[in-house]
Amino acid sequence: MSWLQPDWVIDTRRAEFRWRRLRRAPRIAMDIHQTDGSFWPAFEPHHYLKLPRMIAANYYVGFVDGAPVAHLAVSTRPGLVEGRACRLVVMPEWQGAGLGLRFLNEVCALWRRGVNRYDKPMPMLFHTSHPGLAAALRRDPLWAQVSAILYAESKERSMKTLAAARARKGLKPAGTGYGGHFRAVQGFRYVE
């Protein structure tokens, strides 16, 4: 079928895979708005962790043709020493279109230049467990990898920390903790 022009070809006889990008992907314009966090419930089902919305965070939503397609929350570390971007979610129907990294880069660039509610330039951190996103961040010259925890955290250590915090408040230990499961977390710093 000479009229067929696929983007990729698998030759089963030679056991080869080959990309054939014949057409450029269309450029997708995205408008980024700072919001109040009210969009998080629409994005939360698509995030890999089930967490409530962040308190005291700055929320950003990317829109394509008026539809919300990307979400990011940014908080600061104590002392306003750096920002931490998290809860990056791209709606499933938009994943793979290249919007997520562009969106993350733009929001981090704003914070790096001091376009934030503190009017203060801040270094930006971002952590992810997504292997594809981690690989993309490693390839992007705007990012440098600063950490990688590729094994499970100690649930026992977490339980002790939580028990000590509750004891300081005069409360009984809750008997729960976090960790003990495998979640490879890789950390990156925006270095523009």
Side-chain angles (χ1 to χ4, degrees):
M1 293 184 259
S2 60
W3 55 270
L4 195 60
Q5 296 187 12
D7 284 336
W8 51 267
V9 176
I10 297 177
D11 185 336
T12 56
R13 193 170 290 157
R14 294 188 196 130
E16 292 177 353
F17 175 84
R18 188 173 82 245
W19 281 103
R20 292 180 27 153
R21 191 75 188 248
L22 301 176
R23 292 171 287 195
R24 290 182 62 98
R27 189 77 174 155
I28 301 170
M30 180 190 299
D31 297 318
I32 298 174
H33 297 276
Q34 187 170 352
T35 69
D36 61 0
S38 61
F39 284 90
W40 176 242
F43 288 93
E44 190 270 336
H46 308 290
H47 194 265
Y48 70 105
L49 295 175
K50 300 302 168 217
L51 300 167
R53 76 183 190 97
M54 292 174 54
I55 297 170
N58 294 276
Y59 291 89
Y60 296 87
V61 176
F63 295 86
V64 174
D65 295 330
V69 299
H71 175 277
L72 185 70
V74 179
S75 62
T76 58
R77 293 196 48 208
L80 298 177
V81 294
E82 59 192 353
R84 181 173 165 255
C86 52
R87 308 245 169 85
L88 174 64
V89 178
V90 176
M91 288 297 200
E93 60 272 22
W94 290 93
Q95 292 176 9
L99 297 175
L101 192 54
R102 282 178 36 213
F103 176 63
L104 177 64
N105 285 348
E106 185 59 33
V107 172
C108 288
L110 290 171
W111 275 70
R112 191 75 177 110
R113 292 191 309 264
V115 182
N116 53 51
R117 69 177 169 183
Y118 307 104
D119 293 321
K120 177 183 176 182
M122 287 190 214
M124 292 297 294
L125 293 175
F126 181 73
H127 291 85
T128 184
S129 294
H130 191 288
L133 181 54
L137 290 168
R138 277 193 295 276
R139 286 189 307 267
D140 193 319
L142 298 176
W143 291 90
Q145 187 162 4
V146 294
S147 66
I149 299 172
L150 303 176
Y151 51 86
E153 288 285 326
S154 168
K155 187 170 185 172
E156 184 178 330
R157 190 179 95 206
S158 172
M159 289 174 66
K160 288 179 183 176
T161 301
L162 291 172
R166 290 181 62 84
R168 283 193 300 273
K169 295 178 182 177
L171 302 172
K172 293 181 182 178
T176 63
Y178 301 101
H181 58 282
F182 180 74
R183 187 173 136 233
V185 179
Q186 299 181 59
F188 297 86
R189 182 178 304 282
Y190 184 75
V191 294
E192 174 197 37

